[in-house]
Amino acid sequence: MFRTKSVEQSILDTEEPEHALKKSLSALDLTVFGVGVIIGTGIFVLTGKVAKETAGPATALAFVAAAVVCALAALCYAEFASTVPVAGSAYTFSYTSLGELVAWIIGWDLVLEFALGTAVVAVGWSGYVRSLMDNVDWTMPQALSGPDAAEGFGFDLLAFALVLVLTVILVVGMKLSARVTSVVVAIKVGVVLMVIVAGLFFIRAENYKPFIPPAEPQPAGSGWDAPLVQLIFGYEPTNFGVMGIFTAASIVFFAFLGFDVVATAAEETKLPQRDMPRGILGSLIICTVLYVAVSIVVTGMQHYSELSVSAPLADAFKATGHPFYAGLISFGAAVGLTTVCMILLLGQTRVFFAMSRDGLLPRFFSRTHPRFRTPYRPTILLGVLIAVIAGFTSIDELATLVNIGTLFAFVVVALGVLVLRRTRPDLHRAFRTPWVPVLPAASVAASVWLMLNLPAETWLRFGAWMALGVVIYFVYGRSHSRMAREGR
């Protein structure tokens, strides 16, 4: 259960012709992927919610605090991705350092994270598109607008179609995916910059007073809805005040989710030892700057107590008498979610492919397309399944599973860095995480703290999914593992 796969063997597996992925990505492509998946609903929605309910104008500091937590994990990811440039991200990293059972668990976790993330984003994209259609008097039938909009049977045709189209793009090739992403990210970043520049002209200094509002008790949760930290330790988070900034950071942290997806494309990168750290850290830095700038502008345009929770950026421009900008923001949000959906789907298929190549899932799924050199079988399978989930399911309550899954991956990767430094000090590391073991330990502590701030019911659902994964491992994966066959 705790047998590890050597780094050398992991890299050697990528050279088998029928299981090899095409190397076509550069540092710029990786950075664009990172920015494309990070900038999503977080910057368009969370800013208003956090400012109004938790941190006030100090929301900018909450984004900085959340970025520090992500940066700790990003430095650990960068070392692994440059040392073990193999598809699978945290799954592959844990296989080379912590053992097969841990690798299976984290791979199973990532499958859930990326699948639900893709479906949630597809449903959100559908909502933005329907809103834009309403502006020009085009209306989707309620039966085709999703379960939430329909009184009886509901099928979200737009979300279903989006996932299928993106599946085709990913099958055709990574370079095409990178080109599509580059165009869409350029539009999305352009809209964000427009918000920043245009909003500067409508800032009023009095809206920043007080910059850190006085602390007040946060409404206590009840039962399984309460944060786990409250049930275990009796800790009661506060709204506003200095501690409110850290409470807000645990919320806006989820606006940064996605930079770890960049690591899943390590095997398809031309120079992974050099370009993976640049792509991971570069995308995180760019998005942090944009997030902080947007939060400063929006809290300066409108007093934090008056901000909208559902569409703060668009409504702030409406409040200042500029509905044209509000329409552009809605358009940017709809376009931006396209890349988020595609890159999450990309991440899941690469993890699934890596697990299949190792025999923990049927090897049938590890064959690459003879022409496009992409893992077309898992891409088609997962694309169709996620399209159906997005079309038929209202999964708002399951969205927090994406968050806990990502944080769990952060913990495993940080621990993996510590273990591999001790067991394989001879490995060439093109990028080295600084201040080991202090920095990885800090990454583990920060991630666990944010996990404890999630509702207890999220932990129960996550535990049930993990338990199912362990059963599948002992029934199938342990005996079919490639390392088990080679041992026999």
Side-chain angles (χ1 to χ4, degrees):
M1 291 187 296
F2 298 100
R3 56 196 170 208
T4 57
K5 184 178 180 181
S6 70
V7 173
E8 292 80 4
Q9 184 60 51
S10 296
I11 296 175
L12 194 62
D13 288 347
T14 68
E15 298 173 0
E16 297 177 354
E18 63 182 7
H19 303 292
L21 298 173
K22 184 178 180 181
K23 297 182 182 296
S24 59
L25 301 179
S26 65
L28 177 60
D29 292 328
L30 295 172
T31 303
V32 169
F33 273 138
V35 174
V37 73
I38 295 172
I39 297 182
T41 52
I43 198 169
F44 295 107
V45 177
L46 283 182
T47 306
K49 176 180 176 61
V50 169
K52 185 172 185 177
E53 300 176 358
T54 312
T59 297
L61 300 180
F63 274 114
V64 172
V68 170
V69 176
C70 289
L72 294 174
L75 290 168
C76 297
Y77 268 89
E79 174 170 325
F80 257 128
S82 61
T83 307
V84 193
V86 178
S89 185
Y91 158 75
T92 300
F93 305 157
S94 56
Y95 210 159
T96 60
S97 58
L98 300 175
E100 186 174 276
L101 177 60
V102 177
W104 165 264
I105 290 173
I106 197 64
W108 187 247
D109 162 56
L110 291 174
V111 167
L112 173 72
E113 173 195 340
F114 292 149
L116 290 181
T118 305
V120 169
V121 172
V123 173
W125 175 88
S126 173
Y128 272 110
V129 172
R130 289 197 306 271
S131 176
L132 289 172
M133 291 170 64
D134 290 340
N135 291 340
V136 291
D137 295 328
W138 292 356
T139 304
M140 290 280 294
Q142 281 196 344
L144 297 178
S145 298
D148 290 334
E151 295 179 1
F153 171 82
F155 179 75
D156 196 330
L157 179 62
L158 292 176
F160 177 81
L162 173 69
V163 176
L164 290 185
V165 170
L166 296 180
T167 298
V168 172
I169 293 175
L170 289 176
V171 168
V172 170
M174 278 295 289
K175 199 61 187 176
L176 174 61
S177 305
R179 288 170 181 166
V180 172
T181 302
S182 298
V183 173
V184 177
V185 168
I187 297 172
K188 178 163 57 175
V189 172
V191 170
V192 173
L193 292 175
M194 180 273 294
V195 170
I196 296 170
V197 174
L200 288 173
F201 295 96
F202 309 119
I203 289 177
R204 293 186 299 169
E206 58 267 26
N207 288 333
Y208 290 127
K209 298 177 182 178
F211 189 76
I212 302 180
E216 59 184 48
Q218 190 179 95
S222 60
W224 296 111
D225 292 333
L228 191 64
V229 67
Q230 182 176 329
L231 295 178
I232 296 177
F233 303 109
Y235 168 77
E236 296 186 7
T238 63
N239 289 338
F240 307 114
V242 175
M243 293 306 297
I245 295 174
F246 294 102
T247 302
S250 68
I251 300 173
V252 300
F253 165 82
F254 307 127
F256 288 93
L257 297 187
F259 75 85
D260 56 317
V261 180
V262 176
T264 65
E267 194 174 323
E268 293 157 277
T269 304
K270 296 175 184 176
L271 298 171
Q273 288 80 5
R274 182 197 69 183
D275 293 342
M276 288 305 300
R278 292 182 180 182
I280 292 172
L281 297 172
S283 58
L284 184 61
I285 292 170
I286 291 171
C287 293
T288 300
V289 172
L290 292 176
Y291 278 12
V292 170
V294 166
S295 60
I296 290 175
V297 167
V298 76
T299 54
M301 291 176 61
Q302 194 173 16
H303 194 267
Y304 72 89
S305 61
E306 300 174 354
L307 282 173
S308 161
V309 173
S310 58
L313 274 64
D315 290 346
F317 277 101
K318 288 180 181 178
T320 57
H322 295 84
F324 171 75
Y325 291 112
L328 276 181
I329 292 170
S330 296
F331 172 74
V335 171
L337 292 180
T338 306
T339 54
V340 179
C341 194
M342 181 170 72
I343 299 169
L344 286 173
L345 182 59
L346 160 74
Q348 189 193 35
T349 58
R350 270 44 180 184
V351 172
F352 200 94
F353 168 78
M355 296 173 73
S356 172
R357 189 165 57 188
D358 289 331
L360 296 175
L361 290 171
R363 293 268 290 174
F364 169 82
F365 294 107
S366 64
R367 301 285 180 116
T368 55
H369 194 280
R371 176 184 174 188
F372 303 124
R373 311 307 303 171
T374 57
Y376 68 106
R377 288 173 175 173
T379 301
I380 294 172
L381 170 68
L382 296 170
V384 172
L385 287 176
I386 294 172
V388 172
I389 293 172
F392 283 105
T393 313
S394 175
I395 48 181
D396 291 341
E397 293 183 1
L398 297 181
T400 51
L401 283 172
V402 179
N403 308 328
I404 195 171
T406 302
L407 288 164
F408 181 61
F410 287 2
V411 171
V412 170
V413 170
L415 292 175
V417 168
L418 293 174
V419 172
L420 203 62
R421 283 285 187 98
R422 179 175 291 274
T423 58
R424 292 297 307 273
D426 57 303
L427 282 176
H428 171 68
R429 292 168 169 83
F431 178 89
R432 296 178 67 90
T433 303
W435 308 312
V436 173
V438 175
L439 190 145
S443 177
V444 171
S447 297
V448 169
W449 173 252
L450 292 183
M451 290 172 73
L452 289 173
N453 278 277
L454 292 172
E457 62 181 355
T458 299
W459 281 82
L460 289 176
R461 291 169 179 163
F462 181 67
W465 178 258
M466 290 294 102
L468 175 61
V470 170
V471 171
I472 294 175
Y473 170 74
F474 283 106
V475 171
Y476 179 89
R478 187 164 180 261
S479 58
H480 289 79
S481 163
R482 186 172 179 177
M483 290 187 66
R485 293 200 307 272
E486 290 174 354
R488 290 194 294 268

